[in-house]
Amino acid sequence: MAFSSALVLTDLNDYIAPSQACIKPVEVTKSEDKGQTEIKVDNEGSYYEITQDGGEEKLEKASISLDDCLACSGCVTSAESVLISMQSQEELFKILEQNKIALEQNKPEDYLTIVISISPQSRASFAAKYRLTPLQVHHRLVYFFKHFLGAHHVFDTSFTQDLSLVESAREFNDRFKHYMQHGGEALEAAKQQQDLEKAVEDGKPKVRARRRKPNATEEAVSSQQDLPMLASSCPGWVCYAEKTHGEILPFITAAKSPQQMMGSLVKDYFAKKSGLTPNQIYHVSIMPCYDKKLEASRPDFFLESYETREVDCVLTTSEIDKMFHEKNLDLATMTESPIDDMFNKVGLDPATGIETSYGVEGSSSGGALEYLFATAARDLFNIPHIKATESSSHVLIKIGKNADVKEYFLVADDGRILLRFATAYGFRNIQNIVRKIKTGKCNYHYVEVMACPGGCANGGGQLPAESEQVINAKDWVSHVESIYQTCQGVLPENNEIIKNIYNEWIIDPNSERAHQLLRTQYHAVTQNLGNPLATKW
């Protein structure tokens, strides 16, 4: 099996750069040589192969599907391409070599402290491929980065996942309160009435109840940009929103993603604790997604006073696996080193005394929906100890038309729906959510948005199943997801280290400093169809 030269569609109007091409490799199966052939195009534009014996065979058209579009980097600007090219294993090796030369020449000013942060999704992917536990993977990656490559610290991004969850929950609660104080109560009452009327209609199909239309005040509330709050931890989704739906940006949560929370923690808190300046640290993040390179390259995450980024380099799971192969290493048999750094969610299980990896409850997409749902139920409605993943008297779960759409409802004792949450994974589902928001028909309070179908376990930088692991793609993603969830979930408020760091580092969560460290902003891309070079980013 081989691949032909790339298929290039040149007549595309994507406004991003001149002569921007959409490229898809086309699979070609080798067959016996039939001699020279001709290609005929009929009046309908169909292609036929004419063989020497005069036979005709209609050729299948190569199509560009939505999945192909999402797997392509054609929507990346030239400037972004340069930034991404700076985030590669070659760049990491340059820094390692620079450190070696600085030591040999006794030039401490050229020496950088190298920090690696590993995402739990990447650990799960490694664990699936090499048939290990996430904890075993973590120990072996510590050895690889510290003792084989020469990095100084290895941190766990699930640690800053807690910070991101706490900040996101704080933002959602604030948004919901503001929404309710500015006419939201009337709008919610109208929605409750519609729910009741729909229930009547469903029970009596021949009797159609007349729905009350929202009044002007309610419509004004629905047009406010407090709710629904949309997740921001997926940079593919954020990039799409900035470039195509600028009016949606105020709905996206301002809380930084776990990757960028780690960037803040490393370049601010850790730097000060270590007596270093931010530009004396080289921070590498291991992620399941290539789009995380774009996220790290955002101007909002550049520290101008030190001319350095919060995350200097992002490498995907597959890029790290490639490094193993290039250096003739096998993770399955690699030496393990102790996890002795701060910012790691590893500890002894109180019941067994065995070392255990901890994470957060919920899906591999970060558990934001589950945590925000439970926190809002407790803080806003005084309903404690609920789990969004488990149906109960207070929790109603509905599966959508596909597995990537789910609805989660918080139900009061009297049957009223208090909260409406949903997931929307994959761009087709995202487009439905965007359409509903634009038309004022989105009734959700929070939507967990992810560009990849299946969420982060299915990130573009994750490892595929090995050839001997006979399993289809969907089942493989489910397998990675199940491994991810083997880590015990611990609520952020039960993480004493997080609380201590928060009190020492952030101090006042409502301060301007807290917003600078923990939150970000988004920017609509201004399109210039007349001159693509003048497009404003």
Side-chain angles (χ1 to χ4, degrees):
M1 183 178 294
F3 287 91
S4 74
S5 299
L7 171 68
V8 180
L9 305 183
T10 56
D11 189 20
L12 294 180
N13 177 18
D14 62 3
Y15 78 81
I16 289 174
S19 302
Q20 183 65 59
C22 180
I23 299 173
K24 176 186 176 181
V26 180
E27 181 180 339
V28 175
T29 55
K30 292 183 178 180
S31 58
E32 296 180 1
D33 186 9
K34 299 179 181 179
Q36 291 184 346
T37 60
E38 295 180 7
I39 302 296
K40 182 183 80 172
V41 182
D42 65 13
N43 294 332
E44 296 178 357
S46 298
Y47 288 78
Y48 292 83
E49 182 183 33
I50 303 175
T51 59
Q52 287 182 328
D53 58 7
E56 294 185 4
E57 181 181 353
K58 187 175 182 179
L59 299 177
E60 182 181 353
K61 290 184 179 179
S63 62
I64 305 296
S65 70
L66 186 62
D67 289 337
D68 296 323
C69 180
L70 299 181
C72 172
S73 61
C75 62
V76 178
T77 66
S78 298
E80 289 170 333
S81 297
V82 172
L83 292 170
I84 291 175
S85 68
M86 297 170 61
Q87 301 188 49
S88 64
Q89 63 184 56
E90 287 75 18
E91 289 299 314
L92 173 58
F93 291 148
K94 285 181 183 178
I95 298 299
L96 293 167
E97 182 64 22
Q98 174 185 310
N99 275 358
K100 182 180 177 181
I101 294 173
L103 285 175
E104 292 173 351
Q105 298 180 354
N106 193 26
K107 293 183 177 180
E109 66 276 9
D110 294 336
Y111 192 82
L112 296 177
T113 296
I114 300 175
V115 172
I116 310 290
S117 56
I118 306 171
S119 71
Q121 296 87 357
S122 294
R123 280 203 306 268
S125 188
F126 280 126
K129 176 178 178 178
Y130 291 99
R131 296 178 173 87
L132 300 168
T133 67
L135 186 59
Q136 288 175 317
V137 170
H138 198 126
H139 278 286
R140 297 174 195 205
L141 290 179
V142 169
Y143 169 80
F144 175 71
F145 287 118
K146 280 190 175 183
H147 302 286
F148 192 85
L149 292 186
H152 301 91
H153 302 278
V154 178
F155 299 149
D156 180 359
T157 311
S158 61
F159 185 86
T160 46
Q161 206 168 33
D162 283 1
L163 282 173
S164 185
L165 291 175
V166 169
E167 193 62 21
S168 296
R170 188 189 310 280
E171 182 181 354
F172 176 79
N173 288 353
D174 289 344
R175 284 185 182 228
F176 190 87
K177 291 175 183 176
H178 184 269
Y179 161 76
M180 295 297 283
Q181 291 169 359
H182 292 78
E185 289 187 4
L187 188 60
E188 289 300 309
K191 291 178 182 178
Q192 297 292 345
Q193 181 65 23
Q194 289 179 4
D195 291 338
L196 179 61
E197 292 171 352
K198 187 177 186 303
V200 172
E201 292 176 13
D202 292 341
K204 300 178 180 180
K206 293 183 180 180
V207 179
R208 187 167 185 83
R210 184 178 180 183
R211 295 188 179 183
R212 180 178 71 82
K213 293 183 179 180
N215 58 38
T217 302
E218 293 165 356
E219 288 181 344
V221 172
S222 67
S223 68
Q224 288 182 4
Q225 296 171 330
D226 290 317
L227 298 176
M229 190 171 92
L230 308 176
S232 66
S233 57
C234 174
W237 144 244
V238 171
C239 182
Y240 169 74
E242 287 186 321
K243 293 180 178 180
T244 60
H245 299 291
E247 63 271 40
I248 299 296
L249 300 182
F251 294 98
I252 302 177
T253 173
K256 286 184 178 179
S257 70
Q259 171 179 282
Q260 296 308 137
M261 284 287 189
M262 182 62 81
S264 291
L265 194 68
V266 166
K267 291 294 180 91
D268 192 87
Y269 179 82
F270 174 76
K272 292 174 181 176
K273 282 287 186 181
S274 304
L276 301 169
T277 57
N279 57 350
Q280 291 176 314
I281 298 174
Y282 190 76
H283 180 199
V284 182
S285 180
I286 312 304
M287 285 285 145
C289 174
Y290 285 95
D291 286 337
K292 284 293 181 179
K293 296 174 186 278
L294 282 176
E295 181 179 68
S297 301
R298 293 178 66 87
D300 305 278
F301 304 138
F302 184 78
L303 308 176
E304 293 184 1
S305 56
Y306 292 97
E307 296 187 346
T308 186
R309 299 188 181 281
E310 293 177 340
V311 178
D312 298 286
C313 179
V314 177
L315 297 177
T316 63
T317 315
S318 57
E319 287 175 300
I320 298 300
D321 196 52
K322 181 182 177 183
M323 291 169 68
F324 295 156
H325 292 295
E326 290 175 348
K327 297 184 177 298
N328 296 317
L329 295 173
D330 184 1
L331 189 66
T333 59
M334 194 177 293
T335 303
E336 294 187 5
S337 289
I339 302 170
D340 55 2
D341 271 316
M342 62 181 82
F343 312 148
N344 278 290
K345 291 188 71 172
V346 175
L348 298 180
D349 188 323
T352 63
I354 300 174
E355 188 181 38
T356 305
S357 286
Y358 294 98
V360 295
E361 294 182 344
S363 74
S364 64
S365 296
L369 182 145
E370 293 84 357
Y371 182 73
L372 268 64
F373 191 89
T375 303
R378 182 194 65 207
D379 296 345
L380 299 176
F381 299 102
N382 197 30
I383 305 177
H385 312 305
I386 67 163
K387 293 186 177 181
T389 54
E390 298 178 3
S391 295
S392 65
S393 60
H394 288 298
V395 180
L396 175 63
I397 303 174
K398 291 184 179 181
I399 308 297
K401 293 181 179 180
N402 58 74
D404 286 323
V405 177
K406 291 183 181 179
E407 296 178 310
Y408 302 82
F409 302 97
L410 181 68
V411 184
D413 291 330
D414 59 4
R416 289 179 299 115
I417 295 178
L418 304 175
L419 288 176
R420 297 174 175 85
F421 279 35
T423 61
Y425 296 172
F427 271 76
R428 285 180 179 155
N429 296 322
I430 289 175
Q431 287 166 349
N432 287 335
I433 291 295
V434 169
R435 191 180 306 113
K436 288 181 179 180
I437 293 175
K438 286 184 174 181
T439 58
K441 296 179 180 179
C442 185
N443 291 329
Y444 301 123
H445 299 115
Y446 176 83
V447 184
E448 184 172 85
V449 184
M450 293 288 154
C452 292
C456 292
N458 190 33
Q462 295 284 74
L463 304 176
E466 293 289 272
S467 57
E468 68 272 11
Q469 295 170 316
V470 183
I471 184 172
N472 63 47
K474 185 176 180 180
D475 290 341
W476 179 251
V477 173
S478 297
H479 179 52
V480 175
E481 180 78 30
S482 64
I483 291 175
Y484 172 90
Q485 295 185 6
T486 58
C487 295
Q488 294 185 32
V490 176
L491 292 172
E493 51 264 36
N494 294 334
N495 187 336
E496 293 298 327
I497 301 177
I498 282 287
K499 287 195 288 186
N500 292 336
I501 288 178
Y502 208 95
N503 292 335
E504 179 184 353
W505 180 42
I506 303 301
I507 304 173
D508 180 8
N510 297 313
S511 66
E512 181 63 26
R513 168 179 160 77
H515 279 244
Q516 290 176 352
L517 291 171
L518 305 179
R519 298 196 180 187
T520 186
Q521 55 189 335
Y522 308 103
H523 316 278
V525 175
T526 303
Q527 179 184 166
N528 189 321
L529 294 175
N531 178 10
L533 288 175
T535 296
K536 182 180 179 181
W537 298 92

